[in-house]
Amino acid sequence: MKNKSLIALYFCYFLILCFVTYYPKFNKTGKEATISYDVAGYYAYLPAIFIYKDIHQLAFLPELNKKYTFADDASQGVLLPNGNYAMKYPIGAAIFYSPFFFIAHIYASISDDDADGYSYPYQLMISIGCLFYAFIGLFFIHKILLHYFSELTTAITLILLTAATNYLNYAAIDNALTHNLLFTLFTIIIWLTIQFYTNPKIKTAGILGLLCGLAIITRPTDILCILIPLLWGVVGVTGLKQRLQFLIRNYKMTITFILGAFITGCIQLIYWKITTGQILFYSYGEQTFSWRNPHILEGLFSYKKGWVTYTPIVLCILPGLFFLYKNKKGLFLPIMLFIAFNIYIAFSWDIWWYGGSLGQRSMVESYAIGLIPIAALVEQILKGNKIRVIVFSTIALFCTWYNIILTFQAHGKYGVLDDNAMNKAYFWKVFGKTKIDLDDKKFLDSFDRHKGAKLNQVDLYFNDFENENLRVDSNAVMYGNKSLMVTNNEQYTPSYNIPFDSGNLYWLNISADFYFENKEWNVWQMPQFILQFKQKDDVVKARCIRIHRIMQSGEKKNLNFDVKIPSKAFDTIEFYIWNAGSGTTTYIDNVHVYAFK
């Protein structure tokens, strides 16, 4: 069949559109809307400059955040010593959004919608614009792959990108984040680099410089994109010398590239100068890089947000690099260096999990480069025997199923995938599921997970609080005449201590009945049911569950969790409830503790 790769490209477009309709963020409100959280920060330049004429105070943001609740911190900026604010996020994404912002603003100005920068027309147009950018990126990666590989290899690799990696999520659902935009930018940079070394022109060099500069002011760590035009096609030390000679010999093109990058970069520099008085300004505060202690293993393999854990198809990059070196040496050096440096830089960031995201969003734009060694592996497999093809097909199908499931888990009504608190126990508890019992979410906090029968149960403690006088309520009780409680003014219950000698018992279970009228939705302020093992005043081990994470408003429910008894010596078990800063009132009754094998 001819045009296999074109059919695959259309299929990728169709798949992305399916997931756009599955979870249309432009129809969402609050922190699920297109313009929310980080996107609201990238975007704020546009209403600040073109609607409110306020780039110093950002005084319009608090009131708009009350109306639209797009972020926890309405300022979206860094407070300066003079009382002004500077945007926390770089300006590049706003440049991408700008054509669609202007369309939305014109429409909102002549319609009944609020022309305030955040109403429905703006949400819709930013979503459409970023979908448009995703389609451009796929168009160019299709051209790049077809330049180096066969129709069939290109078709398979395109489908793997869209169906088997979290690029699907960032092209279809969270497409207004920078990673989708940068993926497209990287593909254009690669394609223009190929064209430049085929037919060197000053115009192409200038456009490459402008685009590299745009990448840098969109996400500064993506300064690595300069490796693409600098090293593309270089083989070994001799190749490096030849490339240096080429750049010197064609110095006009080299200077044009540098000027292009500088011109785009000046947009950010001018903004900083106007708002902070400094040409260079670090806007991320205490968030920084740990260059001497990068989180590479966690970033790649952790259950919290490991790249390989959540996108296992990327393991194909390693053998793919081998085949690149063997068959397409001119691509090996720039791609290998980019991937190595990118992993190091991305996972040197202290918040290496990059906040709320599906898998490692910091890696999405690098698929534009990482896809090439995957294609090299695919081409090699297609040349092999049927067994290789069957094995690889099985792996590819699993990775596709897994990625689709993860995408549903991240955005389904059950909220299966937690974007910040994943751990081993919860990961395997919900693996492959799109529906779960809300009670399963206790494993997000208390990650000791006992499997099998609970043998030799020994009751250790029970308290219905009928004889208590502190932190109890006799009006809103669940059972009997009294219930323990935590409130806005009483953030802690008393601590209750249980003497215990573990003997030959290895596990502990603690349970209680809970009730509250109003759910606390901020996970960091959810009341916690805390169990500790202590040796005198030292805490040997502690576990907890966030009560409101696994209950709904107005619900009475018995909650329990298992804890593995520590091998280290302890003499007391302690439990208490902490309201964690919440303004809600939570009632507790009938605490029961037992040990078992």
Side-chain angles (χ1 to χ4, degrees), residues 465 467-473 482-485 492-494 496:
F465 305 107
N467 298 316
E468 300 290 332
N469 294 315
L470 294 174
R471 312 288 193 274
V472 290
D473 191 299
K482 294 180 180 178
S483 294
L484 195 64
M485 67 177 183
Y492 290 88
T493 67
Y496 294 87

Side-chain angles (χ1 to χ4, degrees), residues 45 49 90-92 94-95 210 213-214 217 260-274 279:
Y45 288 93
I49 296 170
I91 200 170
I95 296 171
L210 291 169
L214 179 56
I217 64 170
F262 179 74
I263 288 168
T264 315
C266 276
I267 299 172
Q268 186 70 62
L269 301 181
I270 291 168
Y271 168 78
W272 281 335
K273 182 62 178 176
I274 291 171
I279 293 293

Side-chain angles (χ1 to χ4, degrees), residues 53 78 80 84 157 231 258 290 318 352 360 501 521:
K53 310 296 190 284
V78 179
L80 302 172
N84 290 342
T157 309
L231 297 178
I258 294 170
S290 297
L318 285 175
W352 57 267
Q360 271 295 343
D501 181 4
W521 289 98

Side-chain angles (χ1 to χ4, degrees), residues 179-193:
H179 313 288
N180 168 45
L181 310 176
L182 286 163
F183 173 89
T184 294
L185 197 54
F186 276 32
T187 61
I188 299 172
I189 290 170
I190 294 170
W191 181 250
L192 287 178
T193 297

Side-chain angles (χ1 to χ4, degrees), residues 504-523:
N504 62 347
L505 299 172
Y506 308 117
W507 288 85
L508 207 72
N509 179 278
I510 184 167
S511 65
D513 296 314
F514 293 93
Y515 170 77
F516 51 83
E517 292 183 0
N518 299 304
K519 185 181 178 79
E520 173 62 64
W521 289 98
N522 184 338
V523 68

Side-chain angles (χ1 to χ4, degrees), residues 208-223:
L208 274 170
L210 291 169
L211 295 180
C212 287
L214 179 56
I216 294 167
I217 64 170
T218 301
R219 192 162 177 256
T221 54
D222 282 330
I223 191 173

Side-chain angles (χ1 to χ4, degrees), residues 454-472:
K454 297 180 178 180
L455 306 175
N456 298 358
Q457 293 186 20
V458 177
D459 285 332
L460 301 177
Y461 180 87
F462 178 80
N463 193 341
D464 59 9
F465 305 107
E466 296 300 303
N467 298 316
E468 300 290 332
N469 294 315
L470 294 174
R471 312 288 193 274
V472 290

